[in-house]
C-alpha cells in the first residue's frame, strides 16, 4: 500500500512539472558587468538545484573529513572494549574449567585494558562493576592456587572500587564478594571468620539460600549445633534440599543437640523448641527420652515424650514400626517407674491387639510386674519369652520369670527359668565347621 502511494505521488509530481515546464515561456537575465546572460526560467531552476546539490555534497565531504580523527579514536576505544570483554569471558571460562593460572592472567589483562581506557579518559559506564568482577575472578583463582595474600589483595580491591552507597548492581556485586570471602574462610576451616563475613551482609542477603548453605556448614564446623539446626530448618523451608535430604540433615542435627545436652533442664529446653512433627519422629523422640533417662530425668516425663511415637507406630504399622519398635520397648522398659494406670492400659491393649508381637507382650508383662500384677505378668512373660529374638530381652524375661517363681516358692520352675536365661545369654561363634 505504501509503495502504491509513493508511485501515485511521483506521477503527480511529474505531471505538475510537465505542466509547469512545458508551456513556461519565462526567461531570466543575469547581469554581470560587462556581460549579460539570458536563459530560460527552467534552466535557471535546474542550475540552482545543481548548485545546491554540489554545495551540500561539499559540506558533507568536509564534515566527514573533519570527523575522521574522532572516528579513528572511537574505533580504537571500541577495539579495546571488545578485547577487555573477551578477556573477562576467557577468565570466567578458564575458572570454570579449572585453569586457574590462565583465569587470573585473563582477569589481569581485562583490568589492564580497563585502566588504559580510564587513562585515555574514555572510561566505560560499567567500568567499576567490570573492574570489581575481574578482581573477584582473580581472587577466586588465587584462592584455588592457595595464594592467600594475593587473594586478599584482589578481594579488597574489588570492594574498594565499588562506590558506597551504589546502585542495585553495585550492591549485588559487593554482597557476592562478601559471600565469596565467607566461602573461602570455610574452605580454610575458619568457621568463625566465615560466620563473621556472613554477619556483615544485609539482612535480606543473609537469608539467601547460598548464604544459608555457607552458614550451615560453618556452624557445623564450629560445633554450634543450635545455629546449624535453625539454619537447616530455614533451608528446608526454602526447599533448598530434597525432602529426604532435608529430613536427614535436620535429624542429624537434632541428634547432635540431644547428645550435647548436659543436664535435664537444657534437654527439656531443647525439647520445647521442637515442633509437633519433630517430637513425633521416632528417630528424635526415642534418643531424646533415652538421654533424659541417662541424665536422671523423671520416668513420667519420659513416657510423656514417647506417647506420640507410641501412638504413631502402633496405629500405623509398617517398616518404621519394625525398625523402631525394639528401641521403643527398651526405652519404655527403662521408664516404667511410677507407672500410671493409663500407660498400663495402653500396653495391655497393644499386647492384646498384637498377639503375635512378643515384644509388646514382654513390655506389658514388665509393666504388670511394676504394678505387682504377678499373675498377669507371668502369663504375658511366659508367652513372650520363647518367641523373643533379641537375646537381651529374652534373658530379662526368663530372669523375671525365675524371680517370680522363687517368690512363689516354686524352686523347680525357678531353676528351669534361670537355665533358659543363661542359655539366652550364650552367643555361639559363627563357625561353619561346627554347623557341619
Amino acid at each position: 500500500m505504501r509503495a502504491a502511494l509513493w508511485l501515485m505521488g511521483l506521477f503527480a509530481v511529474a505531471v505538475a512539472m510537465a505542466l509547469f515546464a512545458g508551456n513556461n515561456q519565462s526567461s531570466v537575465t543575469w547581469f554581470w558587468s560587462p556581460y549579460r546572460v539570458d536563459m530560460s526560467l527552467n534552466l535557471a531552476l535546474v542550475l540552482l538545484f545543481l548548485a545546491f546539490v554540489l554545495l551540500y555534497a561539499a559540506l558533507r565531504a568536509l564534515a566527514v573529513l573533519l570527523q575522521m580523527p574522532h572516528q579513528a579514536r572511537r574505533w580504537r576505544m571500541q577495539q579495546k572494549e571488545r578485547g577487555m570483554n573477551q578477556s573477562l569471558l576467557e577468565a570466567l571460562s578458564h575458572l570454570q574449567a579449572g585453569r586457574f593460572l590462565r583465569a587470573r592472567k585473563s582477569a589481569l589483562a581485562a583490568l589492564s585494558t580497563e585502566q588504559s581506557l580510564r587513562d585515555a579518559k574514555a572510561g566505560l559506564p560499567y567500568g567499576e562493576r567490570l573492574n570489581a568482577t575481574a578482581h573477584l575472578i582473580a581472587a577466586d583463582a588465587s584462592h584455588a592456587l592457595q595464594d592467600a595474600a594475593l587473594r586478599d589483595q584482589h578481594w579488597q580491591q574489588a570492594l574498594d572500587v565499588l562506590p558506597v552507597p551504589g546502585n542495585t548492581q553495585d550492591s549485588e556485586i559487593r554482597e557476592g564478594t562478601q559471600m565469596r570471602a565467607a566461602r573461602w574462610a570455610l574452605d580454610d576451616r575458619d568457621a568463625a571468620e566465615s560466620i563473621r563475613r556472613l554477619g556483615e551482609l544485609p539482612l535480606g542477603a543473609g537469608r539467601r539460600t547460598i548464604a544459608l548453605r555457607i552458614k550451615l556448614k560453618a556452624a557445623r564446623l564450629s560445633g554450634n549445633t543450635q545455629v546449624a539446626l535453625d539454619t537447616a530448618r530455614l533451608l528446608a523451608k526454602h526447599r533448598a534440599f530434597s525432602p529426604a535430604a532435608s529430613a536427614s540433615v535436620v535429624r542429624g542435627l537434632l541428634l547432635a543437640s540431644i547428645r550435647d545436652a548436659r543436664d535435664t533442664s537444657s534437654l527439656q529446653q531443647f525439647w520445647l523448641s521442637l515442633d509437633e512433627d519433630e517430637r513425633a519422629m521416632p528417630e528424635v523422640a526415642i534418643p531424646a527420652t533415652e538421654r533424659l533417662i541417662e541424665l536422671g530425668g523423671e520416668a513420667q516425663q519420659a513416657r510423656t515424650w514417647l506417647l506420640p511415637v507410641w501412638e504413631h507406630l502402633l496405629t500405623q504399622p509398617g517398616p518404621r514400626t519394625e525398625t523402631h519398635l525394639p528401641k521403643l520397648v527398651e526405652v519404655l522398659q527403662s521408664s516404667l517407674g511410677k507407672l500410671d494406670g493409663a500407660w498400663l492400659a495402653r500396653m495391655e491393649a497393644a499386647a492384646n491387639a498384637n498377639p503375635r508381637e512378643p515384644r509388646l507382650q514382654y513390655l506389658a508383662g514388665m509393666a504388670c510386674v511394676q504394678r505387682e500384677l504377678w499373675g498377669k505378668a507371668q502369663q504375658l512373660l511366659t508367652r513372650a519369652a520363647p518367641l523373643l529374638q533379641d537375646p537381651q530381652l529374652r534373658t530379662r524375661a526368663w530372669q523375671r520369670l525365675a524371680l517370680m517363681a522363687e517368690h512363689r516358692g516354686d524352686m523347680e520352675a525357678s531353676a528351669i527359668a534361670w537355665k533358659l536365661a543363661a542359655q539366652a545369654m550364650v552367643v555361639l561363634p559363627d563357625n561353619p565347621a561346627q554347623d557341619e
Side-chain angles (χ1 to χ4, degrees):
M1 184 64 183
R2 184 179 298 178
L5 292 175
W6 273 104
L7 185 61
M8 292 173 62
L10 288 176
F11 273 112
V13 172
V15 170
M17 291 180 64
L19 292 175
F20 174 76
N23 298 321
N24 189 4
Q25 301 297 327
S26 302
S27 63
V28 177
T29 301
W30 300 88
F31 293 95
W32 188 275
S33 182
Y35 303 102
R36 172 183 174 178
V37 179
D38 294 325
M39 63 182 66
S40 65
L41 180 60
N42 294 340
L43 180 60
L45 292 176
V46 171
L47 290 177
L48 285 175
F49 177 74
L50 292 177
F52 173 77
V53 171
L54 181 62
L55 180 62
Y56 178 78
L59 292 176
R60 290 292 298 172
L62 182 62
V64 170
L65 182 63
L66 294 177
Q67 286 293 326
M68 286 184 65
H70 300 285
Q71 293 289 344
R73 183 173 181 273
R74 184 184 304 173
W75 181 82
R76 290 194 299 269
M77 296 300 104
Q78 287 179 349
Q79 291 299 109
K80 286 186 178 182
E81 183 179 355
R82 291 173 182 173
M84 177 184 61
N85 292 330
Q86 183 178 358
S87 297
L88 189 64
L89 290 176
E90 289 178 354
L92 285 171
S93 62
H94 289 321
L95 184 65
Q96 296 296 327
R99 295 182 171 182
F100 303 114
L101 283 174
R102 295 187 181 184
R104 186 167 62 183
K105 183 178 179 181
S106 298
L108 293 177
L111 289 171
S112 176
T113 307
E114 198 274 335
Q115 182 63 39
S116 66
L117 287 174
R118 262 190 291 153
D119 294 339
K121 297 182 179 180
L124 302 173
Y126 57 90
E128 294 175 344
R129 295 191 292 272
L130 188 143
N131 196 318
T133 303
H135 276 300
L136 185 58
I137 294 174
D140 221 346
S142 300
H143 173 73
L145 295 171
Q146 301 296 319
D147 191 348
L150 191 57
R151 177 199 67 191
D152 295 340
Q153 178 182 350
H154 283 292
W155 179 81
Q156 188 61 46
Q157 289 175 347
L159 289 179
D160 294 340
V161 76
L162 293 173
V164 180
N167 55 27
T168 303
Q169 293 183 349
D170 294 336
S171 300
E172 289 180 352
I173 295 177
R174 179 177 292 275
E175 292 166 3
T177 303
Q178 293 173 330
M179 288 183 188
R180 292 307 300 168
R183 180 65 185 179
W184 297 334
L186 188 61
D187 293 340
D188 294 338
R189 313 295 292 179
D190 190 351
E193 178 67 14
S194 180
I195 294 176
R196 188 183 70 83
R197 294 291 185 188
L198 291 175
E200 296 175 353
L201 291 171
L203 182 60
R207 294 178 66 87
R208 293 174 188 166
T209 300
I210 184 172
L212 291 176
R213 286 177 179 269
I214 297 174
K215 185 177 181 180
L216 173 61
K217 294 179 180 179
R220 298 182 71 175
L221 179 62
S222 63
N224 195 337
T225 308
Q226 186 59 43
V227 174
L229 180 59
D230 295 338
T231 307
R233 286 170 174 166
L234 278 177
L235 286 170
K237 183 179 180 181
H238 294 168
R239 297 182 180 179
F241 305 118
S242 64
S246 299
S248 177
V249 172
V250 173
R251 183 169 58 250
L253 292 172
L254 289 174
L255 293 178
S257 299
I258 292 171
R259 291 192 297 268
D260 292 342
R262 292 294 177 262
D263 50 35
T264 56
S265 60
S266 61
L267 186 59
Q268 290 173 0
Q269 184 177 3
F270 162 76
W271 182 261
L272 292 175
S273 67
L274 303 179
D275 55 29
E276 294 183 1
D277 293 336
E278 291 173 341
R279 294 177 187 176
M281 293 172 59
E283 300 87 348
V284 177
I286 295 176
T289 307
E290 188 176 14
R291 182 61 176 167
L292 178 66
I293 296 173
E294 291 177 359
L295 295 175
E298 297 181 358
Q300 184 177 0
Q301 186 176 19
R303 293 193 298 269
T304 303
W305 288 7
L306 289 175
L307 181 57
V309 178
W310 173 270
E311 294 177 347
H312 176 74
L313 292 181
L314 293 184
T315 56
Q316 300 179 8
R320 296 187 71 189
T321 301
E322 186 63 28
T323 302
H324 299 289
L325 185 59
K327 193 64 178 178
L328 177 61
V329 169
E330 182 178 350
V331 176
L332 276 174
Q333 181 189 351
S334 303
S335 61
L336 290 178
K338 299 181 181 179
L339 186 66
D340 53 11
W343 264 104
L344 179 61
R346 293 190 189 100
M347 294 177 182
E348 288 182 348
N352 295 330
N354 300 274
R356 296 184 179 180
E357 179 53 68
R359 288 167 292 195
L360 294 178
Q361 310 291 326
Y362 165 80
L363 182 62
M366 298 301 289
C368 291
V369 170
Q370 182 67 28
R371 295 297 296 266
E372 298 182 357
L373 302 174
W374 308 114
K376 186 175 292 188
Q378 182 178 1
Q379 179 183 0
L380 291 171
L381 291 176
T382 303
R383 186 192 311 167
L387 301 177
L388 288 171
Q389 300 297 324
D390 188 353
Q392 187 175 5
L393 295 182
R394 188 166 63 249
T395 301
R396 291 176 181 174
W398 287 118
Q399 288 175 346
R400 179 53 60 183
L401 287 172
L403 292 175
M404 286 192 295
E406 289 182 0
H407 187 266
R408 296 192 311 269
D410 190 350
M411 305 308 296
E412 182 179 357
S414 175
I416 295 174
W418 281 117
K419 180 179 180 180
L420 292 173
Q423 291 176 353
M425 296 177 62
V426 175
V427 179
L428 297 177
D430 188 7
N431 191 343
Q434 292 181 359
D435 296 339
E436 295 177 359

